[in-house]
Amino acid sequence: PSRLVRYLLNQQTRQATLVMSYTDPANTFATVGGSTQYYTNGHSVVTFGPAGRVVEVDPAGNLAWEITGVSGIYVFRVQRIQSLYFPGRNDPTR
């Protein structure tokens, strides 16, 4: 299945350390495309391209929310629109 991975890069030593890995329990396969986005609150959003699935997970890999049932719809990228959030309330960047 397709998955999200995050690495911490040390440019001095040229080493990468795995920080987080998330494999969708639905065994979702994205043959092409898709994206990930990391937020400062530690959450990550993952889109699975042609699988039409979007999930947000916390740093421990727990599901925060998901969008399903859009099979056949290619979802390449999801972007948060900051102006839709009130400062300090439901702010995804905190």
Side-chain angles (χ1 to χ4, degrees):
S2 299
R3 65 189 179 123
L4 156 75
V5 291
R6 276 192 34 237
Y7 292 93
L8 177 63
L9 302 176
N10 183 324
Q11 294 183 5
Q12 299 297 324
T13 63
R14 296 179 182 235
Q15 292 182 340
T17 304
L18 180 65
V19 175
M20 178 191 180
S21 178
Y22 172 79
T23 302
D24 192 39
N27 290 327
T28 305
F29 287 89
T31 53
V32 297
S35 68
T36 64
Q37 188 173 31
Y38 173 73
Y39 298 110
T40 55
N41 68 357
H43 285 222
S44 297
V45 170
V46 186
T47 63
F48 294 97
R53 182 165 167 73
V54 180
V55 300
E56 180 176 330
V57 295
D58 68 13
N62 299 308
L63 193 64
W65 60 263
E66 65 184 334
I67 298 173
T68 59
V70 289
S71 184
I73 303 297
Y74 188 97
V75 181
F76 174 71
R77 182 179 301 144
V78 172
Q79 293 286 141
R80 290 196 187 259
I81 301 171
Q82 193 61 35
S83 63
L84 295 178
Y85 296 89
F86 295 103
R89 185 177 144 217
N90 297 327
D91 186 347
T93 62
R94 292 182 175 223

